[in-house]
Amino acid sequence: MKETLLIANNPVMWILALIIIANVIVQSFIFYRIANKHVKETSLISSKQVKEAFKIGFIGTIGPAFAVFAVAVALIAQIGGPLTLARVGIIGSAAFEMIAAQIGSGGTAGTPDFAPKMLSAAAWVMTLGGAGWLVVVLFATKHIDKLQETVKKANPLTIGYMSLFAPFIIFFSLAYKEVINKGVLAKELTIAPLAALIAGGLSVVIVNKIVAKDSSKKWLKDWAMGFAVVAAMVVGTILR
């Protein structure tokens, strides 16, 4: 395994990983410039709303980033820093990458049997497994606007309802699976997943109550997701 990790953390691997991350950063900057130019040309929203949306989007990524970082630390110990950076920097799902690494390496990642050829196999499985996200974005993004316009014509309120309930349904379904599969139906019964879910939900309720009593603390709502993720992680870790 030591030989494998020496290869995985080789300076050449770091250079290649940083090139990939640099490409993502450049693409983000280009996308921002195009979007900003489109807003100015069409006057769809004001510059103040653009800044507000950017701020909310930035803050909204901080909470989930804590969870990704926690899993990524464990992934670094298994497959090295460069490959972890390259994969998580593109897809952002450290949990998926850990599963893919284990499948690709035949379950040897992080063990004394982790040979260099297993590192190569793990890298291929992680890359091909995560390609689905990129393929969907490539072929589906163009059609989203058309679908949105069609839905708006049928019922203008539909998009609003979808924006409101879709994130709730997605996160609830993911949390439900964690509670059932890793809590209730686990070989060793644990309340950690359920407690983490409750802690996250309670943190959001508390933030809303604070803001309702004191409107000057409205900024707390922007950080609600971050508070929820951190609270869930702390409680889940303590009770694990």
Side-chain angles (χ1 to χ4, degrees):
M1 180 179 175
K2 289 182 179 180
E3 180 187 356
T4 305
L5 289 181
L6 284 174
I7 296 172
N9 292 298
N10 188 280
V12 175
M13 293 288 286
W14 276 111
I15 293 172
L16 294 174
L18 290 174
I19 290 173
I20 293 172
I21 297 301
N23 183 48
V24 173
I25 294 173
V26 170
Q27 288 180 352
S28 300
F29 179 71
I30 293 173
F31 178 79
Y32 174 76
R33 286 190 60 185
I34 293 173
N36 200 32
K37 182 181 178 182
H38 178 71
V39 168
K40 289 179 179 178
E41 291 177 349
T42 59
S43 299
L44 289 173
I45 56 178
S46 65
S47 58
K48 182 180 179 182
Q49 288 175 310
V50 172
K51 292 179 180 178
E52 187 69 18
F54 186 80
K55 184 186 77 171
I56 293 173
F58 175 77
I59 293 173
T61 61
I62 294 177
F66 280 112
V68 173
F69 176 77
V71 180
V73 170
L75 189 59
I76 290 172
Q78 294 186 7
I79 61 171
L83 191 54
T84 299
L85 176 64
R87 296 305 310 147
V88 176
I90 295 176
I91 302 301
S93 177
F96 170 82
E97 300 299 341
M98 181 171 284
I99 295 171
Q102 286 296 329
I103 294 173
S105 65
T108 62
T111 70
D113 298 325
F114 190 36
K117 62 181 181 181
M118 291 293 98
L119 173 65
S120 177
W124 273 107
V125 172
M126 293 165 73
T127 302
L128 294 175
W133 279 289
L134 303 178
V135 171
V136 170
V137 170
L138 178 64
F139 291 103
T141 303
K142 291 182 179 180
H143 304 288
I144 291 177
D145 284 341
K146 294 180 181 179
L147 176 63
Q148 184 173 331
E149 291 299 322
T150 303
V151 173
K152 274 186 178 180
K153 290 179 181 179
N155 188 347
L157 296 176
T158 303
I159 296 297
Y161 288 135
M162 288 176 63
S163 301
L164 180 64
F165 291 109
F168 173 80
I169 294 172
I170 291 171
F171 284 114
F172 179 80
S173 62
L174 292 173
Y176 175 80
K177 288 181 180 179
E178 290 292 317
V179 171
I180 296 299
N181 296 335
K182 296 185 179 180
V184 178
L185 298 181
K187 293 181 179 179
E188 295 182 5
L189 184 64
T190 174
I191 63 169
L194 178 60
L197 177 61
I198 294 173
L202 284 176
S203 68
V204 175
V205 172
I206 292 171
V207 167
N208 287 330
K209 286 190 175 295
I210 292 173
V211 174
K213 290 182 178 179
D214 187 355
S215 58
S216 65
K217 292 183 173 62
K218 190 177 180 180
W219 60 271
L220 285 172
K221 276 194 171 183
D222 294 338
W223 296 87
M225 180 181 290
F227 292 144
V229 172
V230 173
M233 286 177 63
V234 171
V235 171
T237 302
I238 292 173
L239 297 176
R240 188 174 180 179

